[in-house]
Amino acid sequence: MEGQQGQGPGPAGGGRRTKPLGLCRGSSAWPSRPRLPQALSQGTSEAEVGRPCWSGWPAGRVGKRGPVAAPAALGPAGRVRAAAPFIACLRLGCGDYLVTIEEKSKATFLRAYMNWRCMSAGSSRVCVRMVGHKMEESYSEALKEQMSVVEMPLSDPPLCISCCPVNGDLLVGCKNKLVIFCLKYRVINQNLTVLDFERSLILHIDNLIPAEVAFCARHIAITTELDVLILKLELVQQSADRTEQCAQGVSAPEKAMDGGVKDESPSTHPLQLELDEFIICQKPVELLGEQSKLCEIPVTLESTELPTEDTKHFQVQYLLFRHFAPDQSPFGFCEETKLHSVQLLPVYQTGIPATAYEETENKRKLLSLFCFFSLPHVGYLYSLGKLVERISTYQYSEKSEQAVLTPRFLHVITSQNLQCFTVRCSAAAARSEDPYIDTTVKACPPVTLDVCTLRMQLFIGPRAICHFKNHIILLTKADTEDITERRKPTRRILSRKTDHIKSRTNSESEPGWNLYIINTVSTIQLYREMVEYSRTYENVKTESCIHLLSEAHLLIRAAIMDPHFLKSDEKEDLLRAFRESCAFLGDCYSRFDTKDYHLALPYYRMSGLSMTEVLKRLVSEGDEIQTYERGFIFYLTHSLNEDSNEELSKESGNKVLQILYLADPVQLPDILCSPSMRNICPLTAVKYLQKVEKMMPSVVLTLTKAFFALKMGDLAMYEHEMRSYKETTLACGFIGQPRLLQQRKEGVVTPTEFAVHLKETQPGLLVAATVALHENSKIELEEADTFFKMLCNSSENTIPQLLVDFWEALLVVSSQEKILQELLLRVTSQYVWRISKKQLPETKPLKTTEDLINSCCHFGLIVPWIASIMSVGCSSDKDYHEDISRLQSLLCSQSVSIASALPVLEPLTEADGVGLAVRVLCNTRLGNHEAAIDQLLTRCPGAAVTYAQHELKGDAQALWWNKLLPELCKRTRLTGNDCPILISSLKETLSIVAMELELRDFLSLLPEDGTAAFFLPHLIHCSQRKLLT
């Protein structure tokens, strides 16, 4: 902070004394009757801009002696004349209204001041109205130029107030209940909209008198002297059977907490009044999430707004309950243990990932919510997300009076100091916003990182503090008298009640009230100081350096997550500082021996530094041997194992090779195959590989040596290495290092020199290796298609034979049904295309049809009747015998889905034997034997009986006499003796039918106009078979 006595950044760092600036001194700036409020409301957050924020000022008549001087950044200062002395005052940026709890004649009032800024413009007109009162349109012109005081009557005196910074709703704490007023925008006419409130909900909480409350996004935090309760109002779908449930709310379970003591009114404990020297204490309790229901604090909801179609219905969810024992603090007497400064801090979603900043600003959406509350010597910060968890605990060096939490800092005042602590809100919010945090892609300092004290400033008698933008507003009193009246100790420990505000003594003559308006140091400046301070630990390589740089990083991250970051003048500086802080953290995790060494990789990635730039930061020039820590080795190996477009120079590559040979020689084959190491000297690489081979020989290392032998043009060495293992072993070896065959450039798989050479010399090994890569998820099917097309210099629409060989080989080993069907359709389509286009493959297939039938279950034996069809086909089909036989074999198996394959088979017509065989095969596979018989009798009747003998079995056997025999008789009658094939087929069919049917049935099938001499032998044969049986 500027103009403060403080300590340098870091835990308990030393610093220099400076004179405080921004001091507005003099009692004339303050009311004549200063009073310290019992409940200081936290109604603002750092997200609110362009509005002054008043919170927890002393009691008195505001504006009695003139306005308080304020810097221009705080907005115009002005006077608001209250109707009575107020004991709590709160101003909220959302809606820009001022709400007070005022006291007059022992009566307490709750009032809201609307349009209060017109008072600073010189207008003295004021109108008073009741909350929800209907305003006539005739008052529109007057309303524009006057302040409105809205009276909000309550059945019980208000004790504390809080405003929701998200939607401007008001929460009022009273004895045994909380009242919620919703902020409404009343449209008077098209030129005038005024603010108003509507009492919408009452939370009845038995036996609890709130000391402080906080309200944000339907989350409610309540504190008494020793208890903290956090609730959430959940929206529910209203239905007939839930109406009563929602109206009654939620009650805590009857089962008492383990070790707890049930609260009762003091009237039920007469001995307690008589024996004041005895104190009964409950033990400390912390209940989070679902367990907090066991707190025994029943909550009942009462809806007070008029029911409409848009009425919202709520139920209560318990989030946190914590009870403190009065003697928990080791620093003072039990009477001093009392909670204060409860606050709910929202953090909004910016829609801007930490490493990719867009030029658009999304509508503010709540991302995370945090709750802070404090005891005199210790403060607690909780995250209220999907999980409720404590993320930080703050230990104060002396008794605290008040604290205010911001997204970047925690400011605490004690009797003599203003202290500033770091917070972990940005770390927790970043993990809610970005799912890739804590991976090898991105990183963020942990939420559990110990907090630091940034600065301590001496002040005489701090009394109240609030925060606005980059300003800390501090109220002090110069005298040293004891002013602990507002927190008078009580011995009624069992009760959750807090004494109401006591009557105040006349303090008209009290001098020494001072107002400090302190400008906090800019984020960039404080970041620079923290980085500079961390250099003192750089040489000793301790965790303190990482801790300080993590604090600096979180400081920048919090500024970037601010909803107004996109409009900030420091935007570019903050982005630059963010990348720089990532680079510094990457340096630390690379140089230091720490258990979190793996964080070097994500931090360097987020820094935007190239590998060459990182090497310049960490590797000294020259040939001297350095010792490198695990973080740097981890970064190098992972960066080189990625498919990066960055190519290291020859010198940098040789240096990396030397480093990794000494640190992790097993990784050398992987590193040498990296795209970033393209410029490495092949001879140097082989020398290092030979050294490693003597220690740890492997097939991957042998293949890598062969790869670099090809680069050197040493074919003798290449052949020697390739003969070291069998082909099957070599094919499996490529699984260990796929980049020997293929590398990715801008996301596209490209073949290497090794793959090109194997294509010419050992295509079978290349195909087997690619199949092994696919089966081990090293390459996708589409990537393999691109790989082989590029390897064979084929166009996008041309399928090279080597790719078909790959598909056929993959059919042999693949077990994934989805991939199998895709492959079957692909090879079928390719066979059909070649046959229909009379196109021969450019290279000889690696396997024959017989090989595929013997090795792959998806290629079946070709049925005999197909040979009968093909025997009468065109002689030119013999030139494409391999593709034809593969297609027929594929269709003869039960693997291909005929329904899916029919569109692919369309180019093959029935005009030739190939098309006829395919059509009949498809009909047969589909169970349409009658259509198959018709096709055969029309195009190739000589194959009909052969087809029937093979296919018409079992349930289809009846087609012999129901379909085949009648069709043959009909066609023979039409052709007469001109078609001997039909006559021959008819005779053979009659012989088979005579063996299967009874004589009477067989006789009924014979045509009435048939020649007796032709059918008589078959009738005799049928009758003799009957006599024999």
Side-chain angles (χ1 to χ4, degrees), residues 258-296:
D258 182 21
V261 180
K262 186 175 181 181
D263 291 331
E264 297 180 7
S265 173
S267 61
T268 62
H269 291 282
L271 291 178
Q272 184 176 350
L273 300 178
E274 298 176 4
L275 303 175
D276 282 345
E277 63 272 18
F278 292 100
I279 300 175
I280 303 175
C281 302
Q282 293 179 343
K283 69 178 183 180
V285 175
E286 182 182 38
L287 301 175
L288 304 178
E290 291 295 326
Q291 290 186 347
S292 59
K293 292 181 180 179
L294 303 176
C295 64
E296 290 190 298

Short mmCIF file of all heavy atoms in Angstrom, two decimals, residues 258-296:
data_model
loop_
_atom_site.label_atom_id
_atom_site.label_comp_id
_atom_site.label_asym_id
_atom_site.label_seq_id
_atom_site.Cartn_x
_atom_site.Cartn_y
_atom_site.Cartn_z
N ASP A 258 -23.17 -35.09 18.74
CA ASP A 258 -22.37 -35.87 19.69
C ASP A 258 -21.63 -34.92 20.60
O ASP A 258 -20.79 -34.14 20.18
CB ASP A 258 -21.38 -36.73 18.92
CG ASP A 258 -20.57 -37.60 19.85
OD1 ASP A 258 -21.03 -37.82 20.98
OD2 ASP A 258 -19.48 -38.05 19.43
N GLY A 259 -21.96 -34.98 21.86
CA GLY A 259 -21.29 -34.11 22.81
C GLY A 259 -21.91 -32.75 22.92
O GLY A 259 -21.45 -31.91 23.69
N GLY A 260 -22.97 -32.46 22.18
CA GLY A 260 -23.58 -31.13 22.21
C GLY A 260 -24.51 -30.99 23.38
O GLY A 260 -24.98 -31.95 23.98
N VAL A 261 -24.83 -29.73 23.71
CA VAL A 261 -25.77 -29.43 24.79
C VAL A 261 -26.91 -28.65 24.19
O VAL A 261 -26.69 -27.65 23.51
CB VAL A 261 -25.08 -28.60 25.90
CG1 VAL A 261 -26.07 -28.29 27.01
CG2 VAL A 261 -23.89 -29.38 26.45
N LYS A 262 -28.12 -29.09 24.40
CA LYS A 262 -29.27 -28.44 23.80
C LYS A 262 -29.46 -27.06 24.38
O LYS A 262 -29.42 -26.85 25.58
CB LYS A 262 -30.52 -29.30 24.05
CG LYS A 262 -31.75 -28.77 23.31
CD LYS A 262 -32.91 -29.71 23.47
CE LYS A 262 -34.13 -29.19 22.72
NZ LYS A 262 -35.27 -30.08 22.88
N ASP A 263 -29.66 -26.07 23.49
CA ASP A 263 -29.86 -24.69 23.93
C ASP A 263 -31.25 -24.51 24.52
O ASP A 263 -32.23 -24.99 23.98
CB ASP A 263 -29.70 -23.73 22.74
CG ASP A 263 -28.26 -23.68 22.28
OD1 ASP A 263 -27.38 -23.88 23.11
OD2 ASP A 263 -28.05 -23.44 21.07
N GLU A 264 -31.30 -23.78 25.58
CA GLU A 264 -32.58 -23.46 26.19
C GLU A 264 -32.54 -22.01 26.63
O GLU A 264 -31.48 -21.40 26.74
CB GLU A 264 -32.86 -24.37 27.40
CG GLU A 264 -32.97 -25.84 27.03
CD GLU A 264 -33.24 -26.69 28.25
OE1 GLU A 264 -33.47 -26.11 29.32
OE2 GLU A 264 -33.24 -27.92 28.12
N SER A 265 -33.72 -21.48 26.86
CA SER A 265 -33.81 -20.09 27.32
C SER A 265 -33.20 -20.00 28.72
O SER A 265 -33.26 -20.93 29.51
CB SER A 265 -35.28 -19.66 27.35
OG SER A 265 -35.39 -18.38 27.94
N PRO A 266 -32.63 -18.82 29.07
CA PRO A 266 -32.07 -18.67 30.42
C PRO A 266 -33.10 -18.89 31.52
O PRO A 266 -32.74 -19.27 32.63
CB PRO A 266 -31.56 -17.23 30.41
CG PRO A 266 -31.31 -16.93 28.97
CD PRO A 266 -32.35 -17.69 28.22
N SER A 267 -34.37 -18.68 31.19
CA SER A 267 -35.39 -18.88 32.22
C SER A 267 -35.50 -20.33 32.65
O SER A 267 -36.01 -20.63 33.72
CB SER A 267 -36.75 -18.38 31.72
OG SER A 267 -37.13 -19.11 30.57
N THR A 268 -35.05 -21.27 31.80
CA THR A 268 -35.12 -22.68 32.15
C THR A 268 -33.91 -23.13 32.96
O THR A 268 -33.80 -24.28 33.29
CB THR A 268 -35.22 -23.53 30.89
OG1 THR A 268 -34.03 -23.33 30.11
CG2 THR A 268 -36.42 -23.13 30.06
N HIS A 269 -33.01 -22.20 33.22
CA HIS A 269 -31.81 -22.52 33.99
C HIS A 269 -31.72 -21.58 35.18
O HIS A 269 -30.93 -20.64 35.19
CB HIS A 269 -30.55 -22.39 33.13
CG HIS A 269 -30.46 -23.44 32.07
ND1 HIS A 269 -30.06 -24.73 32.32
CD2 HIS A 269 -30.75 -23.38 30.74
CE1 HIS A 269 -30.08 -25.43 31.20
NE2 HIS A 269 -30.50 -24.62 30.21
N PRO A 270 -32.52 -21.79 36.23
CA PRO A 270 -32.46 -20.88 37.39
C PRO A 270 -31.13 -20.94 38.10
O PRO A 270 -30.67 -19.96 38.65
CB PRO A 270 -33.61 -21.37 38.28
CG PRO A 270 -33.84 -22.79 37.86
CD PRO A 270 -33.53 -22.85 36.41
N LEU A 271 -30.50 -22.13 38.10
CA LEU A 271 -29.21 -22.23 38.78
C LEU A 271 -28.15 -21.39 38.09
O LEU A 271 -27.23 -20.92 38.73
CB LEU A 271 -28.78 -23.70 38.85
CG LEU A 271 -29.61 -24.60 39.78
CD1 LEU A 271 -29.09 -26.03 39.71
CD2 LEU A 271 -29.58 -24.08 41.21
N GLN A 272 -28.32 -21.20 36.79
CA GLN A 272 -27.30 -20.45 36.05
C GLN A 272 -27.28 -18.99 36.50
O GLN A 272 -26.24 -18.35 36.52
CB GLN A 272 -27.57 -20.53 34.55
CG GLN A 272 -26.49 -19.86 33.71
CD GLN A 272 -26.75 -20.04 32.25
OE1 GLN A 272 -27.61 -20.81 31.86
NE2 GLN A 272 -26.00 -19.33 31.44
N LEU A 273 -28.46 -18.45 36.84
CA LEU A 273 -28.52 -17.06 37.29
C LEU A 273 -27.96 -16.92 38.70
O LEU A 273 -27.39 -15.88 39.04
CB LEU A 273 -29.97 -16.58 37.25
CG LEU A 273 -30.63 -16.61 35.87
CD1 LEU A 273 -32.09 -16.16 35.98
CD2 LEU A 273 -29.88 -15.71 34.89
N GLU A 274 -28.12 -17.97 39.50
CA GLU A 274 -27.64 -17.89 40.86
C GLU A 274 -26.15 -18.17 40.96
O GLU A 274 -25.46 -17.66 41.83
CB GLU A 274 -28.41 -18.89 41.72
CG GLU A 274 -29.91 -18.60 41.78
CD GLU A 274 -30.64 -19.66 42.57
OE1 GLU A 274 -29.95 -20.55 43.13
OE2 GLU A 274 -31.88 -19.62 42.63
N LEU A 275 -25.64 -19.01 40.08
CA LEU A 275 -24.23 -19.40 40.16
C LEU A 275 -23.50 -18.81 38.97
O LEU A 275 -23.17 -19.51 38.01
CB LEU A 275 -24.12 -20.93 40.19
CG LEU A 275 -24.89 -21.63 41.32
CD1 LEU A 275 -24.79 -23.13 41.15
CD2 LEU A 275 -24.37 -21.19 42.67
N ASP A 276 -23.30 -17.49 39.00
CA ASP A 276 -22.63 -16.83 37.87
C ASP A 276 -21.17 -17.24 37.73
O ASP A 276 -20.59 -17.10 36.66
CB ASP A 276 -22.68 -15.30 38.04
CG ASP A 276 -24.05 -14.76 37.67
OD1 ASP A 276 -24.80 -15.53 37.05
OD2 ASP A 276 -24.35 -13.61 38.02
N GLU A 277 -20.60 -17.75 38.80
CA GLU A 277 -19.18 -18.10 38.71
C GLU A 277 -18.95 -19.38 37.95
O GLU A 277 -17.82 -19.73 37.63
CB GLU A 277 -18.57 -18.21 40.10
CG GLU A 277 -19.18 -19.30 40.97
CD GLU A 277 -20.38 -18.81 41.75
OE1 GLU A 277 -20.95 -17.75 41.37
OE2 GLU A 277 -20.74 -19.44 42.73
N PHE A 278 -20.01 -20.13 37.65
CA PHE A 278 -19.86 -21.36 36.90
C PHE A 278 -20.25 -21.13 35.44
O PHE A 278 -21.28 -20.51 35.15
CB PHE A 278 -20.75 -22.47 37.50
CG PHE A 278 -20.28 -22.91 38.86
CD1 PHE A 278 -20.91 -22.42 40.00
CD2 PHE A 278 -19.23 -23.80 38.99
CE1 PHE A 278 -20.48 -22.83 41.25
CE2 PHE A 278 -18.81 -24.20 40.23
CZ PHE A 278 -19.42 -23.71 41.37
N ILE A 279 -19.43 -21.64 34.53
CA ILE A 279 -19.70 -21.51 33.10
C ILE A 279 -19.69 -22.90 32.49
O ILE A 279 -18.73 -23.65 32.66
CB ILE A 279 -18.64 -20.62 32.40
CG1 ILE A 279 -18.67 -19.22 33.02
CG2 ILE A 279 -18.88 -20.56 30.91
CD1 ILE A 279 -17.58 -18.33 32.46
N ILE A 280 -20.77 -23.23 31.78
CA ILE A 280 -20.85 -24.52 31.09
C ILE A 280 -20.55 -24.27 29.63
O ILE A 280 -21.17 -23.43 28.99
CB ILE A 280 -22.24 -25.14 31.25
CG1 ILE A 280 -22.57 -25.32 32.74
CG2 ILE A 280 -22.32 -26.48 30.51
CD1 ILE A 280 -23.96 -25.82 33.00
N CYS A 281 -19.59 -24.99 29.07
CA CYS A 281 -19.12 -24.74 27.70
C CYS A 281 -19.34 -25.98 26.84
O CYS A 281 -19.08 -27.09 27.27
CB CYS A 281 -17.63 -24.38 27.68
SG CYS A 281 -17.23 -22.95 28.68
N GLN A 282 -19.79 -25.73 25.65
CA GLN A 282 -19.83 -26.80 24.65
C GLN A 282 -18.46 -26.92 24.02
O GLN A 282 -17.72 -25.95 23.90
CB GLN A 282 -20.86 -26.47 23.57
CG GLN A 282 -22.29 -26.48 24.05
CD GLN A 282 -23.24 -26.13 22.92
OE1 GLN A 282 -22.82 -25.60 21.91
NE2 GLN A 282 -24.51 -26.43 23.11
N LYS A 283 -18.16 -28.12 23.58
CA LYS A 283 -16.88 -28.30 22.89
C LYS A 283 -16.99 -27.77 21.47
O LYS A 283 -18.08 -27.69 20.91
CB LYS A 283 -16.47 -29.76 22.90
CG LYS A 283 -17.34 -30.66 22.04
CD LYS A 283 -16.81 -32.08 22.07
CE LYS A 283 -17.64 -32.98 21.16
NZ LYS A 283 -17.15 -34.38 21.16
N PRO A 284 -15.87 -27.37 20.84
CA PRO A 284 -15.92 -26.84 19.47
C PRO A 284 -16.47 -27.88 18.51
O PRO A 284 -16.21 -29.07 18.62
CB PRO A 284 -14.45 -26.51 19.17
CG PRO A 284 -13.79 -26.40 20.50
CD PRO A 284 -14.52 -27.33 21.42
N VAL A 285 -17.25 -27.39 17.55
CA VAL A 285 -17.88 -28.27 16.55
C VAL A 285 -17.73 -27.61 15.18
O VAL A 285 -17.90 -26.40 15.04
CB VAL A 285 -19.37 -28.49 16.85
CG1 VAL A 285 -20.03 -29.30 15.74
CG2 VAL A 285 -19.54 -29.21 18.18
N GLU A 286 -17.38 -28.42 14.18
CA GLU A 286 -17.35 -27.96 12.79
C GLU A 286 -18.09 -28.99 11.95
O GLU A 286 -17.66 -30.15 11.84
CB GLU A 286 -15.92 -27.79 12.28
CG GLU A 286 -15.87 -27.27 10.85
CD GLU A 286 -14.45 -27.14 10.32
OE1 GLU A 286 -13.63 -28.04 10.65
OE2 GLU A 286 -14.14 -26.17 9.60
N LEU A 287 -19.20 -28.59 11.37
CA LEU A 287 -20.02 -29.47 10.54
C LEU A 287 -20.10 -28.86 9.14
O LEU A 287 -20.52 -27.71 8.98
CB LEU A 287 -21.43 -29.62 11.13
CG LEU A 287 -21.50 -30.18 12.56
CD1 LEU A 287 -22.94 -30.14 13.05
CD2 LEU A 287 -20.95 -31.60 12.61
N LEU A 288 -19.73 -29.65 8.14
CA LEU A 288 -19.70 -29.17 6.77
C LEU A 288 -20.67 -29.98 5.92
O LEU A 288 -20.85 -31.18 6.12
CB LEU A 288 -18.29 -29.28 6.18
CG LEU A 288 -17.17 -28.58 6.93
CD1 LEU A 288 -15.84 -28.83 6.24
CD2 LEU A 288 -17.44 -27.10 7.05
N GLY A 289 -21.29 -29.31 4.93
CA GLY A 289 -22.14 -29.99 3.98
C GLY A 289 -23.37 -30.61 4.65
O GLY A 289 -24.04 -29.97 5.48
N GLU A 290 -23.65 -31.84 4.31
CA GLU A 290 -24.83 -32.52 4.82
C GLU A 290 -24.79 -32.67 6.33
O GLU A 290 -25.84 -32.68 6.99
CB GLU A 290 -24.98 -33.90 4.15
CG GLU A 290 -25.32 -33.85 2.68
CD GLU A 290 -26.69 -33.25 2.44
OE1 GLU A 290 -27.59 -33.47 3.27
OE2 GLU A 290 -26.87 -32.56 1.43
N GLN A 291 -23.61 -32.78 6.90
CA GLN A 291 -23.51 -32.95 8.35
C GLN A 291 -23.98 -31.73 9.12
O GLN A 291 -24.33 -31.82 10.30
CB GLN A 291 -22.07 -33.28 8.73
CG GLN A 291 -21.61 -34.65 8.31
CD GLN A 291 -20.23 -34.98 8.85
OE1 GLN A 291 -19.52 -34.10 9.34
NE2 GLN A 291 -19.85 -36.24 8.76
N SER A 292 -23.99 -30.56 8.46
CA SER A 292 -24.37 -29.34 9.17
C SER A 292 -25.84 -29.36 9.58
O SER A 292 -26.27 -28.52 10.38
CB SER A 292 -24.08 -28.12 8.30
OG SER A 292 -24.77 -28.19 7.07
N LYS A 293 -26.63 -30.30 9.04
CA LYS A 293 -28.03 -30.42 9.48
C LYS A 293 -28.12 -30.81 10.96
O LYS A 293 -29.16 -30.63 11.60
CB LYS A 293 -28.75 -31.48 8.64
CG LYS A 293 -28.96 -31.08 7.19
CD LYS A 293 -29.69 -32.18 6.44
CE LYS A 293 -29.92 -31.81 4.99
NZ LYS A 293 -30.62 -32.89 4.25
N LEU A 294 -27.05 -31.36 11.50
CA LEU A 294 -27.06 -31.82 12.89
C LEU A 294 -26.86 -30.69 13.88
O LEU A 294 -26.66 -30.93 15.06
CB LEU A 294 -25.96 -32.87 13.09
CG LEU A 294 -26.02 -34.10 12.16
CD1 LEU A 294 -24.82 -35.00 12.42
CD2 LEU A 294 -27.32 -34.86 12.36
N CYS A 295 -26.91 -29.46 13.42
CA CYS A 295 -26.60 -28.33 14.31
C CYS A 295 -27.74 -28.01 15.27
O CYS A 295 -27.59 -27.17 16.16
CB CYS A 295 -26.28 -27.09 13.49
SG CYS A 295 -27.66 -26.49 12.48
N GLU A 296 -28.93 -28.61 15.09
CA GLU A 296 -30.07 -28.39 15.99
C GLU A 296 -30.56 -26.94 15.95
O GLU A 296 -31.00 -26.40 16.96
CB GLU A 296 -29.73 -28.77 17.43
CG GLU A 296 -29.58 -30.27 17.65
CD GLU A 296 -29.48 -30.58 19.12
OE1 GLU A 296 -28.54 -30.11 19.76
OE2 GLU A 296 -30.36 -31.29 19.63
#
